[in-house]
Structures are given as C-alpha cells and as structure tokens.
C-alpha cells in the first residue's frame, strides 16, 4: 500500500501517518522529521535546511527530492510506505510520479481542518529538543509539565510553530500545496478526511477510507 497524506500545517498528518504506518507495517517517510533530525545533529544538510524551516519556507526541491528518493528506493519501502509532507508542490508531485513509475500511489488522504483550529493547534504544540518526541498541551500533554516523558529535557516550541511562522506556512500551503489536491483528485485517488476531533476518531475515518480503497481495488 502506497499512501500519501496532504493537508495544511497542523492538520495532524504527522500523528495520523505514524499511526497508519505502525498499524499496516509501512515505512513512514516525512521530510520534515528527517530535516529536524539533521538540524539536531548539526549536519551539513541540517545547516542548509534550518533557515528555510525557521522562516516557514519550503526547502529547495532538489534537496528535498533527493532525500525522499533515497528512502523511496530503499528495500524498506518495497512493501509499502506512508508519505507525510511530500510532495508539497506540483514539481515535487511530478518528480514523485517519475520515481514511482508504474507503481504509483494507491490513495491520497486529504486531512481537512479549519484555519482557526490549525492556528490553535500549532500554538499548543511542543517538542523535545533532544529526542524529537512531539506533545500537544491540550490533547497530549507530558506527564510532568514542560518536561519530556522519555528523556526529561525541557520541552520547546518549534520555531515554525510560532504564530508569525504559522501564518507564513499557511500562505505557502495555499499557494504551493493546495494545487496538489486537484492534481490527485483528477487522477481519481484523492479521499477527503475530516480532521476535526480526537486522534482516534480521525484515525477511524482514515482506516475507513483505506478499507474503501482496498475494496475498490479488489473489485477493479
Ligand atoms: P513538516 O514537519 O512537514 O511541517 O515540515 C517542516 C518544514 O520542513 C517545512 O515547513 C519545510 O521547511 C520543510 N519541508 C518539509 N517537507 C518539505 C517538502 N516536501 N518540500 C520542501 N520543504 C519541506
């Protein structure tokens, strides 16, 4: 199964795509996570991408495509994958089509959440600077306020979750990423998913769409 999650920043793509990859034993590929780890480790790639990420801008296509391509062509991806945050514009979508060739995506899940909720979600997001574990102060807080459950580090707000950066990321989403919705709808593989509600409620909707697709494939 080859699945892609699209949706604005803060829609829950990260959470839902990890749940799905675990449930269906699929490789989870998220350039945002890969880039954040490179930044934490202070690598050359990390230094290159940091300024883009801090401004809420997209990392250049050639860099991003290379990072994702390496994973898509790895043996771990052969039995299926969940893409989270790639592609984010039409040229990345075309590059993805080229990389996948005849084994294209099975389904694209479009997580839909109203803008006011997106801004509120980003404001309550925290992350551990050491291990990268994400938290949400409203829906998934740490056991001890302000500290990571795993390593005890002080939690921080991602630079790109600051309100001014969130506004910029939403703008970039509208201009660059929204055209993908039509691109995949035209291909007949897009499924809209209501992203409002508890994590498990949304996940149940995700699974329902996947089952529907698997059923459709079985009949075709
Ligand atoms: P995310 O965790 O998916 O919200 O991504 C965090 C940041 O990583 C984005 O704001 C971009 O700066 C960068 N990034 C993630 N995915 C991509 C992509 N497909 N193309 C370009 N930049 C990306």
């Amino acid at each position: 199964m080859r699945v892609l999650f699209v949706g604005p920043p803060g829609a829950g793509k990260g959470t839902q795509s990890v749940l799905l990859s675990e449930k269906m034993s699929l490789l989870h590929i998220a350039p945002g996570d890969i880039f954040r780890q490179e930044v934490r480790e202070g690598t050359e790639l990390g230094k290159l991408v940091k300024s883009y990420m801090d401004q809420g801008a997209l990392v250049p296509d050639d860099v991003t495509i290379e990072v994702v391509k390496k994973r898509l062509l790895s043996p771990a991806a052969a039995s299926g994958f969940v893409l989270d945050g790639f592609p984010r514009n039409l040229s990345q979508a075309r590059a993805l089509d080229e990389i996948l060739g005849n084994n294209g995506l099975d389904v694209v899940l479009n997580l839909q959440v109203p803008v006011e909720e997106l801004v509120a979600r980003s404001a309550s997001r925290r992350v551990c600077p050491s291990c990268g574990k994400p938290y949400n102060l409203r829906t998934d807080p740490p056991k001890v306020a302000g500290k990571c459950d795993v390593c005890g580090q002080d939690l921080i707000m991602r630079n790109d979750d600051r309100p001014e950066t969130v506004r910029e990321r939403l703008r970039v989403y509208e201009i660059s990423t929204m055209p993908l919705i039509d691109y995949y709808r035209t291909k007949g593989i897009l499924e809209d998913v209501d992203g409002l509600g508890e994590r498990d409620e949304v996940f149940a909707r995700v699974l329902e769409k996947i089952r529907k697709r698997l059923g459709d494939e079985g009949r075709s």
Side-chain angles (χ1 to χ4, degrees):
M1 186 98 198
R2 293 166 300 271
V3 185
L4 162 65
F5 276 88
V6 292
K13 299 186 298 294
T15 306
Q16 296 299 324
S17 60
V18 167
L19 285 174
L20 185 66
S21 66
E22 285 170 357
K23 177 150 183 107
M24 297 186 70
S25 305
L26 302 168
L27 179 66
H28 179 242
I29 306 175
D33 289 351
I34 297 166
F35 291 154
R36 274 186 290 280
Q37 190 175 348
E38 298 283 338
V39 171
R40 276 199 301 278
E41 290 173 359
T43 64
E44 282 308 308
L45 177 60
K47 285 179 201 146
L48 173 71
V49 301
K50 187 173 187 313
S51 59
Y52 295 98
M53 296 177 79
D54 286 350
Q55 289 165 32
L58 293 184
V59 171
D61 283 349
D62 55 342
V63 176
T64 310
I65 291 167
E66 204 45 47
V67 160
V68 175
K69 185 175 178 181
K70 202 166 121 199
R71 274 140 185 106
L72 284 170
L73 298 180
S74 71
S79 47
F81 54 80
V82 182
L83 274 170
D84 160 16
F86 179 95
R88 253 181 158 98
N89 59 31
L90 282 173
S91 70
Q92 292 182 6
R94 293 192 188 104
L96 177 64
D97 286 348
E98 213 166 285
I99 296 165
L100 297 180
N102 292 333
N103 286 324
L105 295 169
D106 295 300
V107 61
V108 177
L109 299 170
N110 175 29
L111 270 184
Q112 297 179 309
V113 174
V115 172
E116 317 79 70
E117 172 68 12
L118 294 171
V119 175
R121 282 187 188 181
S122 291
S124 61
R125 238 166 18 172
R126 296 293 182 275
V127 66
C128 172
S130 173
C131 71
K133 184 171 165 50
Y135 296 87
N136 186 296
L137 301 183
R138 290 185 309 167
T139 56
D140 183 21
K143 293 195 182 79
V144 176
K147 302 278 181 195
C148 178
D149 293 351
V150 180
C151 49
Q153 277 273 344
D154 286 341
L155 299 180
I156 58 163
M157 188 180 219
R158 274 168 45 173
N159 281 340
D160 57 1
D161 278 335
R162 295 183 189 286
E164 62 281 13
T165 317
V166 169
R167 277 192 293 277
E168 175 60 14
R169 295 175 79 211
L170 285 168
R171 199 183 68 83
V172 169
Y173 172 76
E174 268 186 33
I175 295 170
S176 303
T177 313
M178 269 183 59
L180 292 183
I181 295 180
D182 280 341
Y183 182 77
Y184 290 118
R185 207 184 290 284
T186 308
K187 283 178 181 277
I189 55 173
L190 192 91
E191 293 284 353
D192 293 322
V193 179
D194 177 3
L196 269 184
E198 294 295 315
R199 184 189 75 164
D200 292 348
E201 258 176 278
V202 177
F203 190 52
R205 292 180 205 133
V206 164
L207 289 179
E208 200 183 296
K209 298 287 180 175
I210 298 272
R211 282 197 199 100
K212 178 180 157 216
R213 276 281 147 181
L214 287 175
D216 287 352
E217 270 186 11
R219 276 192 296 278
S220 63

